[in-house]
Amino acid sequence: MTTTPRPVRAVQVTLDAASPRRLGLFWAEVLGYAADPVPGSGEAPDPARVEETADAWLVFLRAQGVPEAAHDSAFALVDPQGSGPRLFLQQVPEERSGKNRMHLDVRAAPGLRGEERMAALESECARLVGLGATRLERHEPGPRSHGFVVMADPEGNEFCLD
């Protein structure tokens, strides 16, 4: 039996947030992503200009007549290389409750093993704590894992340094 291959689908990861802009700026630093440029700006996604692009969005929203209370209702990040998923942050009124049903694994030490891996994860952990993340727990290498560090972003969403 011959089947027709299904097209590959692009993926967008959506995070609920109290402040999409603030959380988006954090995740841009973590992932090396860029703020999605303002429509019609002709700008390319640039991770070195995340805050500038975020400010351009405020100007755009004002020009479109969007009420100021809605200016922090959404924020989008894109992989400047075009290969990773788009990250969309949307404002929600409720706080996070309970454990994440899904989380991100940030690949901070691909290909490394043992103490070299754990040292690389610790170094990245320290950088992210400086950006506002919280270190939750370290899992040592074992028979089913190469080792990882569980963290939380500034709004408490758990993720792993892997």
Side-chain angles (χ1 to χ4, degrees):
M1 173 167 97
T2 307
T3 60
T4 305
R6 295 198 179 268
V8 174
R9 304 269 190 242
V11 173
Q12 171 175 285
V13 176
T14 302
L15 293 176
D16 292 346
S19 173
R21 178 188 169 105
R22 182 175 58 90
L23 197 57
L25 293 173
F26 168 81
W27 280 106
E29 279 290 321
V30 171
L31 301 173
Y33 268 36
D36 203 2
V38 172
S41 68
E43 298 286 331
D46 184 351
R49 298 181 56 224
V50 174
E51 288 195 46
E52 187 177 324
T53 303
D55 291 343
W57 269 100
L58 295 177
V59 171
F60 174 79
L61 293 171
R62 284 186 198 107
Q64 297 298 309
V66 175
E68 190 170 334
H71 287 187
D72 194 20
S73 62
F75 196 84
L77 299 172
V78 295
D79 175 357
Q81 305 301 316
S83 59
R86 183 174 191 255
L87 188 61
F88 183 76
L89 298 101
Q90 63 186 3
Q91 189 176 49
V92 295
E94 67 276 357
E95 290 186 20
R96 179 182 166 271
S97 64
K99 184 175 178 356
N100 296 8
R101 293 294 303 231
M102 184 176 93
H103 69 266
L104 300 178
D105 284 346
V106 178
R107 305 290 315 275
L112 299 179
R113 300 288 184 264
E115 287 306 313
E116 182 182 21
R117 174 185 178 77
M118 297 312 289
L121 294 178
E122 289 294 344
S123 177
E124 182 64 357
C125 179
R127 183 181 82 87
L128 299 184
V129 166
L131 295 173
T134 302
R135 177 195 178 106
L136 299 177
E137 56 191 48
R138 175 176 159 148
H139 293 260
E140 298 299 325
R144 295 182 50 187
S145 166
H146 296 298
F148 59 97
V149 177
V150 180
M151 302 192 73
D153 70 19
E155 291 196 8
N157 302 301
E158 293 176 15
F159 67 98
C160 292
L161 287 181
D162 177 336

